[in-house]
Amino acid sequence: VYAPMIESGDLYFDSILDDKPKDFGGYSPHNINDKYYDKITASKALALSLNIPAVELLEQNGIEKSKAFARKLGIQFDEKDNGLALALGAMTNGVNITDLCNAYSPFANNGKFTKSTLIRKITDQNGKVIYMHNPAHASVMKDSTAYLVGEMMRKTVTEGTCKALNALDFEIRAKSGTNGTDDKSLNTDMLCVAQTTKHTSCVWYYALNHDKENLLSTSLGNEISPTIKLKSILSELYKNNTPEKFKKPNSVIETKIDRLSFEKGDILLASKDTPERYTMSTLFDIVHKPSAISDNFTNVKQSV
């Protein structure tokens, strides 16, 4: 729901979103632990995996338009998948972890989709290559979209639901997910997708047959957390070969906006008169960067 709206310019990295209980035509989702922030930035909403902003964005963007974007990433939908609960992963058939990794990989690959394979090459007994997999690359989003959503997922690691990964000494992006039950402290499924500039990986824990005695705790810090498991896997994987940092493409610009306007819910560029303490830096697709400049400090009289 975030990526297609960033792609179209209808959402900024730090757009202000509503986060309070809301009824969407009879559908009333809740945030985990019923915690709400009233107003929150898009990047922080994704980092904290908040449900209300996600559903509202899907409603704004349109279900069919959002599904069309997801299909480009290899996500398949049943004909019955037409409700706003899709924003939270409520699908008839779900998604397996291979397809989930495939779908996330373009965010680390400048918007290019490459379907994974289990076979890279086949050789005969003499070492002659008799088959070589030649992956096909398809551009499914702008490199700016890939980077901006990727940086949202990096915020998930630095200050969101995947903070356990922040202890690693290399740059990583991630997104967690759960499938809850009527008991808000228990889940049937817990997942974490993480990516570096070298790999996209996923760990999935699930309650076998969804039996009550096998349900999983909602605590992401316990010993069965997929985030903790990924931390262990990636620490070992990169023990002697640290991945590079993600590089910001030329299509993304970091610039300053007016903090006073921002606190009122408006994204306006800081003017030359805006004091440094009243500015904040954020990221934009250079094509969709706002053009309006704040006049909060224009022609302000100086007192002696």
Side-chain angles (χ1 to χ4, degrees):
V1 296
Y2 289 84
M5 292 196 71
I6 286 179
E7 178 90 352
S8 64
D10 294 315
L11 184 72
Y12 295 137
F13 185 85
D14 280 322
S15 288
I16 303 296
L17 305 178
D18 288 329
D19 181 45
K20 45 195 170 188
K22 182 178 178 180
D23 180 271
F24 297 88
Y27 173 51
S28 301
H30 298 272
N31 288 344
I32 188 170
N33 297 325
D34 282 322
K35 185 174 182 178
Y36 304 93
Y37 294 81
D38 189 28
K39 300 289 184 181
I40 194 166
T41 64
S43 59
K44 187 76 171 179
L46 186 141
L48 296 176
S49 206
L50 300 180
N51 290 339
I52 304 299
V55 173
E56 188 141 34
L57 287 176
L58 179 59
E59 183 182 53
Q60 291 174 15
N61 195 51
I63 293 174
E64 290 307 316
K65 185 177 177 182
S66 300
K67 285 165 61 177
F69 189 94
R71 287 191 185 98
K72 293 192 296 182
L73 309 185
I75 302 297
Q76 301 298 315
F77 297 93
D78 186 87
E79 61 182 12
K80 296 189 290 292
D81 294 337
N82 292 308
L84 291 176
L86 278 174
L88 311 180
M91 301 168 65
T92 302
N93 299 316
V95 179
N96 63 52
I97 59 173
T98 301
D99 288 343
L100 195 63
C101 278
N102 286 341
Y104 270 88
S105 63
F107 297 109
N109 196 30
N110 296 315
K112 295 182 176 63
F113 177 84
T114 306
K115 190 173 183 179
S116 60
T117 179
L118 295 177
I119 301 174
R120 294 181 180 177
K121 67 179 179 180
I122 300 174
T123 60
D124 64 15
Q125 65 270 32
N126 299 314
K128 180 182 178 181
V129 176
I130 57 177
Y131 169 80
M132 177 69 74
H133 175 68
N134 294 310
H137 305 285
S139 181
V140 294
M141 69 182 82
K142 296 184 293 186
D143 60 356
S144 56
T145 302
Y147 184 80
L148 290 168
V149 176
E151 286 300 281
M152 287 179 167
M153 290 192 288
R154 193 155 76 91
K155 205 167 186 176
T156 303
V157 172
T158 58
E159 53 187 277
T161 58
C162 301
K163 285 180 71 173
L165 296 173
N166 202 33
L168 298 172
D169 60 354
F170 47 85
E171 197 168 274
I172 187 166
R173 299 161 166 178
K175 182 71 182 73
S176 64
T178 57
N179 186 23
T181 66
D182 291 337
D183 183 339
K184 295 180 181 180
S185 67
L186 297 172
N187 293 308
T188 60
D189 302 82
M190 300 171 69
L191 299 104
C192 184
V193 178
Q195 55 186 199
T196 66
T197 50
K198 291 186 175 182
H199 299 92
T200 295
S201 49
C202 179
V203 167
W204 169 37
Y205 283 114
Y206 63 96
L208 188 64
N209 299 321
H210 289 182
D211 291 336
K212 188 172 183 178
E213 61 269 23
N214 293 321
L215 294 177
L216 309 167
S217 168
T218 57
S219 171
L220 294 182
N222 61 27
E223 67 277 6
I224 60 167
S225 163
T227 310
I228 296 295
K229 177 57 70 174
L230 267 175
K231 177 186 174 184
S232 173
I233 292 170
L234 295 174
S235 178
E236 183 67 24
L237 180 64
Y238 297 127
K239 184 164 56 178
N240 301 311
N241 189 16
T242 302
E244 296 179 355
K245 291 184 176 182
F246 290 94
K247 295 179 181 179
K248 181 168 67 67
N250 293 332
S251 56
V252 172
I253 185 172
E254 183 172 0
T255 192
K256 293 178 180 177
I257 61 174
D258 185 289
R259 185 182 293 275
L260 290 182
S261 298
F262 173 77
E263 290 173 353
K264 295 176 183 178
D266 297 321
I267 305 289
L268 299 175
L269 298 178
S271 72
K272 60 182 178 60
D273 300 313
T274 307
E276 188 68 23
R277 66 182 181 277
Y278 291 112
T279 68
M280 61 176 282
S281 293
T282 187
L283 299 168
F284 293 103
D285 178 327
I286 197 167
V287 173
H288 299 304
K289 185 186 77 168
S291 57
I293 300 175
S294 169
D295 62 0
N296 282 331
F297 296 93
T298 304
N299 298 322
V300 174
K301 292 183 179 180
Q302 297 294 321
S303 58
V304 177

